[in-house]
Amino acid sequence: MNTFPENLPGIRYDLADQFLPTKMGIDITEWDPKRVVATMPVAGNLQPYGLLHGGANATLAETIGSIAAALNAPDGRVAVGLELSCTHHRAATKGLVTGVATPLHTGRSTSTFEIVITDEDDKRTCTARLTCVLRDAAPGS
C-alpha cells in the first residue's frame, strides 16, 4: 500500500503505522503536483446506517488534498490544513471510493484544492474543497 509519497517535507514516516489514513485503508495510487489520487474501502468506514461515514470522506479528502498541497509547496515550506468543506451527494455502501485532488490555487502562503470522490460506478459521492496554509518547515525536518 502506498500510504504516502516518499520525501514529503516534515512527514514523520516513523509513525506511519499510526497515521489515520493507514488505519482507514487509504491507498495513495498517484501523486503529482497537478493530481493526487487515492482509494478507500467502504467496509470498515461505515456510519450506523450502513453507509460510508461522512467523516471518512473528509479524511480521504484532507489526506489527498494535503499531499497535493505539500507537493506544490515552495522549498522549505510544509502544508497544514486550514479549512475543509464537504458536500455529500450520494451514499456509498460497498466496494472502494476513489478521490482525486486537483489544484484550484497554489501560492506562497496558501493552496486550495478540489477533491472529487466517486464510487465504483464513477458516480460522484462527495465534493470537497481544502485550503492549506503553508508554513516554514521546522529546522532539521
Side-chain angles (χ1 to χ4, degrees):
M1 183 178 292
N2 298 319
T3 305
F4 278 88
E6 294 181 14
N7 302 320
L8 288 177
I11 300 294
R12 294 278 313 270
Y13 291 97
D14 60 314
L15 300 175
D17 63 329
Q18 297 181 52
F19 292 170
L20 180 59
T22 302
K23 293 181 178 294
M24 295 181 68
I26 294 173
D27 185 18
I28 311 300
T29 59
E30 179 183 333
W31 55 84
D32 179 85
K34 299 283 185 218
R35 177 179 154 100
V36 175
V37 181
T39 60
M40 180 179 67
V42 173
N45 293 311
L46 300 177
Q47 44 94 307
Y49 297 115
L51 310 174
L52 180 63
H53 196 290
N57 277 331
T59 300
L60 176 59
E62 181 135 4
T63 298
I64 62 176
S66 293
I67 290 170
L71 291 170
N72 281 281
D75 287 341
R77 310 278 281 175
V78 295
V80 180
L82 182 64
E83 180 182 28
L84 175 68
S85 66
C86 299
T87 301
H88 308 289
H89 305 293
R90 69 173 2 112
T93 58
K94 61 183 173 51
L96 293 174
V97 291
T98 300
V100 178
T102 55
L104 297 173
H105 163 77
T106 57
R108 291 179 297 133
S109 60
T110 63
S111 291
T112 302
F113 297 84
E114 178 183 58
I115 300 96
V116 174
I117 300 173
T118 56
D119 64 15
E120 289 183 334
D121 294 324
D122 203 32
K123 292 184 178 175
R124 188 180 294 225
T125 60
C126 179
T127 303
R129 188 184 72 164
L130 174 70
T131 298
C132 289
V133 63
L134 305 174
R135 299 199 169 266
D136 290 335
S141 66

